[in-house]
Structures are given as structure tokens and as C-alpha cells.
Amino acid sequence: MRTQFIYGLLLYLFLLLPPVAYLLESIMITHMHMQMPLLVISGFLMGGILLKRFPRFFEKWNNNGIPGITLFLIIIIYWTIPRTMDEALTLQSIQAWKFISLPFLAGIPLRDSWKKLSKAGKNIIIVIFTVKYFGMGALYIWAEDQLCNNYLIIEQLTLGWGFITTAICLVIYLIYVFTVDPTKYE
């Protein structure tokens, strides 16, 4: 548990370094599909020690995992809005909000909630992300206007196809989950 916290903290501090942040934010797809997920992962890794130290707090407000996963979904959906990604590059307060909200309001609740959700609940979350990624992909690919002022149209198209590719991978995973019985192989 302590090792995971250290790895999560080191990852978080690495992502905070200005050259690293600038590099990841300079390309639209690495901003959305690399920096933001890595911030969530850093919070996920750091969250284990917090869950262990404050179990009553998390049991009280996230007993069945639904409030935590709802908070996770709200934060993730917020950060997929093109304007918020654009503002993160131009407003320091929004940039700071990104570095606080993704690890601490998305990563930690995800760690606490995921183990509490049923298999059906987990699959519903994956279906939600699949639909969201297809929708965001379509938006970024077929929008007639430039959605983010800080990125070129070609980067917008690349991000759109990145969303579609991720959604296809999630569909493949869902097909696997619904067609393969893992107990036959244990």
C-alpha cells in the first residue's frame, strides 16, 4: 500500500513538472488521452493509503460505491468538454483545478468505488464510457468548426479518432465479458 502511494505521488509530482506538463499539453491527444488519465491513475495509486487510514469516512459517504463513481463520472465528463480543455491552457486557475480534480476527485473515488460495484455496475460504467467516447469521437471528427482555440484542426481530428479507437477497444472488451465464462478456464 505504501509503495503504491509512493509511485502515485512520484507520478503526480512528475506530471506537475512544467516541462512535462507543457509537453503533454502541447499535443491535443496527449493532453486528453495521456496527461488526464495519468493524473487519475496517480490519484488511484495514492488513494489506497487514504482509504486505509480513513475507512469510516469512505464507508459513510460511499457505502455502495455509487456516490463515488458518480463523482468520478462528473469529473471525467467535465474534462472532456472542449472548452474546459481549452481553458486549462489559458487560465491558471483552471489548470490548477485540473491537477486537483483529476487525481483527488476522480482517482481516489474510482479506487474506493470500483471494488464496491457489482459486475453489472462495472459493465454499465464501461458502456457509458463506450457511448461517451463514440459521441466525443464523432463530435471532434465531424464538427465543422474548430472546437479548441489552442489546437489545430488536424489535432482535433486525431483526438476524435483516438476517442473512436478507445470506444472500439471497449466494445471488444464488452463482447469478451459477455461471451467468455472465465470460470471454465480456472
Side-chain angles (χ1 to χ4, degrees), residues 111-173:
R111 183 170 187 147
D112 184 43
S113 301
W114 195 252
K115 63 185 175 199
K116 295 176 181 175
L117 294 176
S118 66
K119 186 177 179 182
K122 292 175 184 175
N123 289 335
I124 288 170
I125 298 301
I126 293 172
V127 168
I128 289 171
F129 272 93
T130 304
V131 171
K132 181 176 96 68
Y133 284 169
F134 273 123
M136 294 305 293
L139 174 68
Y140 279 105
I141 292 170
W142 290 293
E144 294 183 11
D145 297 322
Q146 184 176 352
L147 298 177
C148 294
N149 294 331
N150 292 300
Y151 296 107
L152 301 172
I153 291 286
I154 189 68
E155 292 183 89
Q156 181 175 311
L157 288 171
T158 304
L159 178 62
W161 285 111
F163 272 120
I164 297 290
T165 304
T166 305
I168 290 170
C169 292
L170 291 175
V171 167
I172 292 169
Y173 173 76

Side-chain angles (χ1 to χ4, degrees), residues 38-79:
L38 286 175
L39 285 169
V40 173
I41 290 170
S42 71
F44 188 91
L45 292 173
M46 289 188 286
I49 203 162
L50 294 174
L51 297 175
K52 192 174 180 180
R53 287 195 179 203
F54 308 104
R56 294 180 59 104
F57 172 78
F58 287 98
E59 280 181 28
K60 184 177 179 182
W61 77 269
N62 195 25
N63 188 29
N64 58 6
I66 293 175
I69 205 71
T70 303
L71 177 61
F72 167 77
L73 286 172
I74 289 170
I75 296 296
I76 296 300
I77 289 170
Y78 172 79
W79 281 111

Side-chain angles (χ1 to χ4, degrees), residues 1-106:
M1 198 68 64
R2 174 173 251 162
T3 307
Q4 283 187 12
F5 177 80
I6 292 170
Y7 286 142
L9 183 62
L10 289 175
L11 177 61
Y12 183 65
L13 294 175
F14 179 72
L15 293 170
L16 280 174
L17 292 173
V20 175
Y22 176 76
L23 176 66
L24 292 175
E25 292 166 353
S26 65
I27 304 168
M28 193 176 198
I29 194 165
T30 59
H31 187 187
M32 179 71 77
H33 286 269
M34 187 174 282
Q35 185 192 46
M36 291 184 185
L38 286 175
L39 285 169
V40 173
I41 290 170
S42 71
F44 188 91
L45 292 173
M46 289 188 286
I49 203 162
L50 294 174
L51 297 175
K52 192 174 180 180
R53 287 195 179 203
F54 308 104
R56 294 180 59 104
F57 172 78
F58 287 98
E59 280 181 28
K60 184 177 179 182
W61 77 269
N62 195 25
N63 188 29
N64 58 6
I66 293 175
I69 205 71
T70 303
L71 177 61
F72 167 77
L73 286 172
I74 289 170
I75 296 296
I76 296 300
I77 289 170
Y78 172 79
W79 281 111
T80 54
I81 298 171
R83 183 178 176 131
T84 59
M85 190 169 55
D86 226 12
E87 287 182 340
L89 299 177
T90 55
L91 299 173
Q92 291 231 330
S93 60
I94 302 297
Q95 175 81 319
W97 170 243
K98 179 176 71 178
F99 279 93
I100 292 169
S101 64
L102 286 170
F104 302 111
L105 297 178

